[in-house]
Amino acid sequence: DSSSSSSIWMDIPTFKQYLRRETELRLAILGPDWEGWVKGESEWRLNLYQGWLDLVEDGVGGDVFDEISYAPPEMRTRRNSSSSSSSSRDPQST
C-alpha cells in the first residue's frame, strides 16, 4: 500500500515493536506483579492506534466546516459580503 508508506504515522508492526520495548521497560521497573495490567494497557493502546490509523486513512466524512456555522446561511452570506465595506455604510462602526 503506497499511501501507508507516505504517511507520517508509523505502521502497525513498527508501533508493536516500540510498544513491546516500552512494555518490557515498564515491567523491569514495576516488577512482575504488574504484568497483567501493563500487557492489558498495551493491547488497549494497540487497538486504539489501529483505530486511529483507520480513521486517518478513511476519514470521518465530508468537510465538517461546510456544515458547521453559528449563523444562519443568509447571515453568513450577508456578513461576508458586507464585512469589507461595513465601516463606510454603517455610521455606528466609527
Side-chain angles (χ1 to χ4, degrees):
D1 184 24
S2 62
S3 65
S4 62
S5 63
S6 65
S7 174
I8 62 170
W9 303 100
M10 66 180 85
D11 60 11
I12 291 296
T14 305
F15 185 79
K16 282 182 178 181
Q17 287 176 337
Y18 283 103
L19 194 59
R20 189 173 296 118
R21 289 180 189 166
E22 180 188 333
T23 298
E24 291 169 358
L25 177 63
R26 291 175 69 195
L27 287 174
I29 294 168
L30 296 172
D33 293 342
W34 290 89
E35 184 175 359
W37 287 96
V38 172
K39 287 190 176 188
E41 180 187 341
S42 294
E43 291 173 7
W44 175 76
R45 289 172 59 195
L46 178 61
N47 291 332
L48 190 65
Y49 188 70
Q50 178 63 60
W52 171 252
L53 290 182
D54 292 344
L55 179 69
V56 167
E57 183 177 327
D58 300 336
V60 291
D63 186 0
V64 296
F65 294 107
D66 284 342
E67 299 175 12
I68 296 175
S69 175
Y70 294 106
E74 61 273 5
M75 293 298 292
R76 279 184 269 148
T77 304
R78 194 171 83 214
R79 186 179 317 144
N80 290 339
S81 63
S82 65
S83 62
S84 59
S85 61
S86 64
S87 60
S88 64
R89 290 189 302 176
D90 187 2
Q92 294 180 346
S93 66
T94 57

